[in-house]
Amino acid sequence: MAVEIKEQGYVRLPAFLERGFSDLKREVIVKRKCSMCGTCAAFCDKITVDGGEPEFAEEYDTVCGLCYTFCPRTFMPLTAIEESIFGRASGDDEVLGIYKGCYEARAMSSEIKGQDGGVVTSVLAYALETQAIDCAVVTASNSDWRPEVRVVRDSEALKRSAGTKYTLYPSVVGVRDALNAGYSDIAFVGLPCQIQGLRKTELAAVKQPYEVGIERVKLLIGLFCTRNYTEGLLEFVAERVPLEQVRKFDIKGKELLVYGVDGVVSIPLSDLNSFVGEGCSVCRDFSAELADISVGAAGSADGWSTVIVRTERGEELFKGAHESGYIEVEDIKDTGLELVRKLAANKRAQASFRE
Ligand SMILES: Cc1cc2nc3c(=O)[nH]c(=O)nc-3n(C[C@H](O)[C@H](O)[C@H](O)COP(=O)(O)OP(=O)(O)OC[C@H]3O[C@@H](n4cnc5c(N)ncnc54)[C@H](O)[C@@H]3O)c2cc1C
């Protein structure tokens, strides 16, 4: 999308804005820290992510600094972002970040076949149907489980995008598509790294002189994430189950469960280590700490989702979806919350700091 100068000659550029794609490449991509979130490409016409890794499409690097500034792997001004979203920074003991409430919830509609409780799809359906948002950027998949980002406007399309795709994919580029299509109340669903990229963009839009349209992104739903996988995982699975016969992938404990038409095939996660995204190893965020609402499986019974409500906007929509009969909600059990906290602490402890 076109980037417009908002206050030319008025705001002094911070030093990091003098960096360009070549710096991003040297510090993040070459060092295998890229999570392939897609944020750099979403806000720059010159960057493509078609082959997975971001690439610069032109000879001359304009050093405008946006890709470097927005990337969640260059630097992370966590305190400033938290202060801008929540009014304060989290303490070291707040391993789930800052939140207002934590619940178990599930869809009331039997037509929603979600990954867990179908809460993401239900809350988005409520938000679309009440016009709180005018579109949602979601990650669907084609018949062989390759992810595909879609900008959707109705519940039927939402239902088709439900379910987890355990494949690295630059879903944030869907935000560019939604902006280019002229939407003004955009919801985005994505992984912690993707939410971080969008929050960095939001913060930078206040502090630097460029207008990229991020203020039109009004709702961020984050997914819990321990790790993600390259497309090699799909090729590995395809040798055991034809992908067009797979109905669902799920990770339970130390197994990847592949639900096919002839039953469930279980693959030990230890067989899949070579497909883990290299850029995931530096990530400390399990519960999408910067989202408006975070949703995951851990901590709740099968068929339910664990929901962490963080912001006023998230609370308003989660409550609205509950009161309007889209979801049923219970307080999370102490054991469930303890498990989520433990997983979050483990991810922080295991994250490596690669220079
Ligand atoms: C790579 C990955 C790893 C995860 N790891 C964990 C984990 O370790 N522990 C845990 O408790 N939960 C994990 N989750 C979250 C969990 O699998 C469910 O997504 C979550 O519980 C929401 O379930 P639901 O039934 O409410 O969502 P649904 O109603 O089924 O909606 C799911 C939404 O997720 C979006 N989505 C699916 N795949 C992707 C993707 N690759 N990138 C961006 N968006 C996507 C879809 O657009 C859809 O809107 C992970 C999810 C992903 C994508």
Side-chain angles (χ1 to χ4, degrees):
M1 68 167 300
V3 173
E4 294 159 21
I5 301 289
K6 198 163 59 181
E7 297 161 306
Q8 195 164 25
Y10 177 66
V11 178
R12 203 181 143 176
L13 296 185
F16 53 75
L17 279 179
E18 288 160 16
R19 308 276 176 92
F21 185 81
S22 50
D23 299 281
L24 185 74
K25 183 152 189 166
R26 196 180 55 251
E27 293 179 30
V28 176
I29 302 169
V30 169
K31 291 188 175 170
R32 321 303 305 164
K33 291 188 197 171
C34 174
S35 66
M36 296 188 202
C37 66
T39 311
C40 56
F43 299 103
C44 178
D45 290 340
K46 298 187 175 76
I47 300 174
T48 60
V49 283
D50 303 336
E53 262 179 19
E55 283 181 33
F56 206 62
E58 292 183 12
E59 277 293 301
Y60 177 62
D61 184 354
T62 42
V63 195
C64 84
L66 292 190
C67 59
Y68 190 92
T69 307
F70 298 164
C71 170
R73 295 292 196 258
T74 46
F75 60 96
M76 181 51 66
L78 198 56
T79 301
I81 295 176
E82 285 184 329
E83 278 171 355
S84 106
I85 310 172
F86 307 111
R88 71 174 178 90
S90 57
D92 288 344
D93 57 335
E94 291 178 288
V95 288
L96 298 181
I98 295 170
Y99 63 92
K100 289 174 173 291
C102 188
Y103 308 90
E104 290 182 32
R106 67 176 173 187
M108 293 291 277
S109 165
S110 57
E111 284 179 17
I112 292 179
K113 311 278 182 231
Q115 178 71 16
D116 297 301
V119 172
V120 173
T121 302
S122 303
V123 170
L124 288 175
Y126 167 76
L128 276 172
E129 282 159 18
T130 55
Q131 288 161 17
I133 56 173
D134 58 8
C135 74
V137 176
V138 292
T139 303
S141 60
N142 59 24
S143 57
D144 65 358
W145 281 91
R146 258 78 185 173
E148 212 171 76
V149 74
R150 293 195 188 143
V151 180
V152 302
R153 300 206 57 186
D154 61 74
S155 301
E156 289 313 308
L158 267 180
K159 284 180 207 159
R160 289 193 294 275
S161 68
T164 296
K165 292 93 203 171
Y166 290 101
T167 311
L168 294 161
Y169 182 74
S171 303
V172 182
V173 292
V175 170
R176 175 195 62 199
D177 301 339
L179 290 171
N180 286 346
Y183 292 109
S184 54
D185 296 300
I186 300 165
F188 174 82
V189 183
L191 295 164
C193 53
Q194 296 171 333
I195 303 293
Q196 286 176 345
L198 287 170
R199 287 296 192 198
K200 272 188 88 180
T201 307
E202 206 175 86
L203 184 76
V206 180
K207 300 218 163 179
Q208 45 83 353
Y210 296 101
E211 178 70 70
V212 296
I214 189 69
E215 69 288 348
R216 288 196 267 145
V217 179
K218 302 277 174 62
L219 177 69
L220 298 178
I221 300 188
L223 305 171
F224 294 2
C225 184
T226 307
R227 66 185 81 77
N228 204 351
Y229 294 89
T230 63
E231 285 201 0
L233 175 131
L234 294 176
E235 285 148 27
F236 185 86
V237 170
E239 289 166 14
R240 289 148 185 85
V241 188
L243 291 175
E244 56 284 1
Q245 292 183 10
V246 176
R247 300 279 166 266
K248 178 177 176 176
F249 286 95
D250 203 3
I251 291 180
K252 289 280 173 217
K254 295 188 171 165
E255 309 279 326
L256 173 72
L257 305 178
V258 184
Y259 293 81
V261 285
D262 297 325
V264 186
V265 172
S266 167
I267 302 173
L269 291 184
S270 53
D271 289 357
L272 304 175
N273 284 342
S274 60
F275 307 123
V276 174
E278 290 177 273
C280 298
S281 65
V282 295
C283 180
R284 289 167 48 82
D285 187 354
F286 171 75
S287 67
E289 294 173 32
L290 302 178
D292 291 296
I293 303 175
S294 304
V295 187
S300 291
D302 284 353
W304 290 74
S305 301
T306 297
V307 184
I308 303 179
V309 177
R310 300 183 183 279
T311 62
E312 265 172 39
R313 175 76 165 155
E315 186 173 52
E316 187 191 322
L317 288 170
F318 184 69
K319 264 192 180 170
H322 181 207
E323 286 163 9
S324 307
Y326 283 72
I327 48 174
E328 64 177 300
V329 178
E330 293 182 5
D331 283 335
I332 193 159
K333 295 177 186 61
D334 289 346
T335 48
L337 186 56
E338 212 31 61
L339 175 64
V340 186
R341 286 177 55 83
K342 189 174 146 202
L343 293 169
N346 284 350
K347 188 162 177 186
R348 284 187 180 193
Q350 282 161 18
S352 58
F353 290 92
R354 275 190 275 134
E355 272 310 312

